[in-house]
Amino acid sequence: VPAKGAVPWPAPPDPLDRTADAGLTPTTHEFLQIHRHAHLDVFVNGEPVTVPAGIGIDITDPGVKTTPSDAGDTYGGIEECDAPCISPLHTHDYTGVLHTESTESRLNTLGEFFTEWDVRLDDGCVGGYCTPEASIQVFVDGDPFAGNPATIELSDQKEIAIVIGSEPATIPASFDFGPPP
């Protein structure tokens, strides 16, 4: 366990500052012209790590609707906030689905998402877990990924698994995103 940067990694208290750090521009509502979903699984010693709801969303803004669920609150349904309240890259819930909702047809990256999450991600570290002290493996659609994971593009229906330490029983190769939006 690293001295700092170990799990859990909660959603940061300053989501729009993190959005700016990622080079993204928050808006006052959700745009659905471009709507992509990628999925992120993170495991530490075979155990799943929660990807928090509300990354990239100012959940304190009154324009953001909060819906309670058994898995925790979900955030969205934003018709209009008085000030920018949502990043084009965000999470609504705790499922690990990374949403790109934008007017701009560009692929976001896993590095941008981790910047918004305020968790370190580069070719040698995830959070406070760094090689060679910690084994770090990355998989895309079930296949090993050898490059810098921050560069992984969040194309629609992509499954990304980050494995720190021992592997889970199964490396996810896909995710059931349900019917198209």
Side-chain angles (χ1 to χ4, degrees):
V1 176
K4 65 179 194 170
V7 293
W9 298 313
D14 54 351
L16 301 185
D17 290 342
R18 302 287 66 78
T19 295
D21 289 348
L24 302 172
T25 303
T27 61
T28 58
H29 60 279
E30 297 172 86
F31 289 97
L32 300 178
Q33 288 91 330
I34 305 299
H35 197 183
R36 295 184 185 107
H37 300 107
H39 186 262
L40 175 63
D41 282 295
V42 179
F43 299 94
V44 174
N45 291 323
E47 297 298 317
V49 173
T50 300
V51 177
I55 294 174
I57 302 175
D58 178 1
I59 63 172
T60 66
D61 190 292
V64 176
K65 292 181 175 61
T66 302
T67 306
S69 78
D70 291 341
D73 290 343
T74 63
Y75 307 100
I78 302 167
E79 293 176 16
E80 192 76 29
C81 294
D82 290 337
C85 62
I86 187 167
S87 169
L89 175 59
H90 55 268
T91 59
H92 290 290
D93 55 31
Y94 293 89
T95 60
V97 174
L98 312 182
H99 295 258
T100 295
E101 297 170 0
S102 177
T103 59
E104 190 178 337
S105 184
R106 90 184 234 328
L107 292 173
N108 294 114
T109 66
L110 191 61
E112 289 169 328
F113 178 75
F114 269 77
T115 297
E116 287 190 323
W117 193 1
D118 202 22
V119 175
R120 181 179 178 183
L121 178 69
D122 57 39
D123 57 359
C125 296
V126 180
Y129 304 93
C130 297
T131 58
E133 293 83 15
S135 165
I136 299 172
Q137 301 175 77
V138 179
F139 299 84
V140 175
D141 296 331
D143 296 323
F145 180 83
N148 181 341
T151 66
I152 295 172
E153 293 182 327
L154 302 177
S155 57
D156 200 37
Q157 311 290 301
K158 185 170 281 185
E159 165 61 34
I160 303 162
I162 297 175
V163 177
I164 302 164
S166 58
E167 294 183 7
T170 304
I171 302 294
S174 64
F175 180 78
D176 181 3
F177 291 93

